[in-house]
Amino acid sequence: MANFISVHKQQGGQAFRDLMAKPLGNLLTVLALAFSLALPATLFMLAKNVVAVTQEWQAPNQLTVYLNPVSESRAEAFGEELAAWSEVATAEFVSPEQGLTELRQIQGFEEAVSLLDDNPLPAVVVLTPATDDAAAVTALAAKLRATSDVEEVRLDSDWLQRLSAIESLVLTLTWVFSGLLLMAVFLIIGNTLRLQVQSQKEEIQVMKLVGATDSYILRPYLYTGVWLALAGAIVAWLVTMVNSLLMDAAVAKLATLYNSGFRLSALSLEEGLILLMVSGLIGLLAARLAAAKHMREIEPV
């Protein structure tokens, strides 16, 4: 067992030193791998944040009821009538003045509101249905629209459904592009090892002549594939961190417009380690398939 570990340690170290002996050529390979891994890692980071946003905003269905122009006392009384409905859990009356005050507090709207001569906002009643059942909420909205005092009814969960659709699209794109780019990583490592085996054909023939087994000859190539993949993953991790820093400012500015303190979440340590493990496994498989196939074709003369 000690001899087995010693041989692996020796061959793994030699494979690493061989890579360091040709820094320029191997650096280009590592950068190609890094950028191929950085895109799916960045897409995963974005998908993770989109999921976090949708979970943060998952709230009970709400109905925003816009009233026809009536006196404030009548509008407030109508809000109290709605609160007594069995289908309604809560009803909050928002006067036009209160709505304008809330709008003025939103960043970017204060200057626009100051240009208005009159208050254009209608009286509003914000309802929370007694149930979250979609069919029941839709029926309640239809019942409200049939009321003479109501001008329009908006179901606040509509935008959540759109946000959920965006989340599904981002996740699908992440899986598709990740699969394609991981296949590109597989092909880059496989082609690199194939060329290396061909360039060392004479050495392999000599080793087979002196009795070296295929597994012994193959092992350094496996370590080379793993080292290349791990180096590419480390650089990809750094690139993804830089991407998160560059995008965080834009995300924070956008969140401020919605009165939110949301900040972009970068890859965690656990996610970075998963990136390293997946990349190392891909490098191992690519080296195993490419190098073993061409090595079997090389016979001593």
Side-chain angles (χ1 to χ4, degrees), residues 105-123:
Q105 293 173 352
I106 299 177
Q107 182 174 354
F109 284 89
E110 183 177 358
E111 184 176 350
V113 170
S114 64
L115 298 176
L116 297 175
D117 294 329
D118 300 315
N119 187 351
L121 300 179

Side-chain angles (χ1 to χ4, degrees), residues 51-219:
V51 171
V53 170
T54 56
Q55 290 177 347
E56 179 180 343
W57 287 99
Q58 288 299 331
N61 291 324
Q62 283 190 332
L63 291 169
T64 303
V65 183
Y66 298 92
L67 305 183
N68 288 315
V70 293
S71 65
E72 184 172 339
S73 58
R74 170 55 191 157
E76 191 170 358
F78 181 71
E80 295 175 356
E81 293 175 13
L82 294 181
W85 287 16
S86 60
E87 303 97 327
V88 177
T90 61
E92 179 185 359
F93 174 73
V94 181
S95 67
E97 291 74 18
Q98 183 180 350
L100 191 65
T101 301
E102 293 178 356
L103 185 63
R104 187 179 288 110
Q105 293 173 352
I106 299 177
Q107 182 174 354
F109 284 89
E110 183 177 358
E111 184 176 350
V113 170
S114 64
L115 298 176
L116 297 175
D117 294 329
D118 300 315
N119 187 351
L121 300 179
V124 172
V125 179
V126 180
L127 300 180
T128 301
T131 176
D132 290 337
D133 181 68
V137 174
T138 303
L140 175 59
K143 182 179 178 180
L144 289 166
R145 291 189 182 98
T147 306
S148 59
D149 290 326
V150 174
E151 180 178 1
E152 181 59 49
V153 178
R154 294 289 178 88
L155 182 60
D156 290 355
S157 64
D158 288 346
W159 71 274
L160 288 177
Q161 295 175 1
R162 298 186 185 99
L163 187 60
S164 178
I166 294 174
E167 174 191 350
S168 178
L169 175 61
V170 171
L171 291 175
T172 301
L173 290 176
T174 299
W175 282 111
V176 170
F177 283 104
S178 296
L180 292 174
L181 290 166
L182 290 178
M183 181 59 67
V185 171
F186 185 91
L187 294 176
I188 291 173
I189 294 177
N191 187 61
T192 300
L193 271 296
R194 178 183 64 84
L195 295 176
Q196 187 172 342
V197 168
Q198 291 179 345
S199 67
Q200 296 175 346
K201 179 178 179 180
E202 291 78 10
E203 298 178 23
I204 295 174
Q205 288 176 331
V206 172
M207 294 179 70
K208 287 190 173 184
L209 281 174
V210 299
T213 62
D214 287 347
S215 61
Y216 181 86
I217 301 173
L218 177 63
R219 201 172 295 132

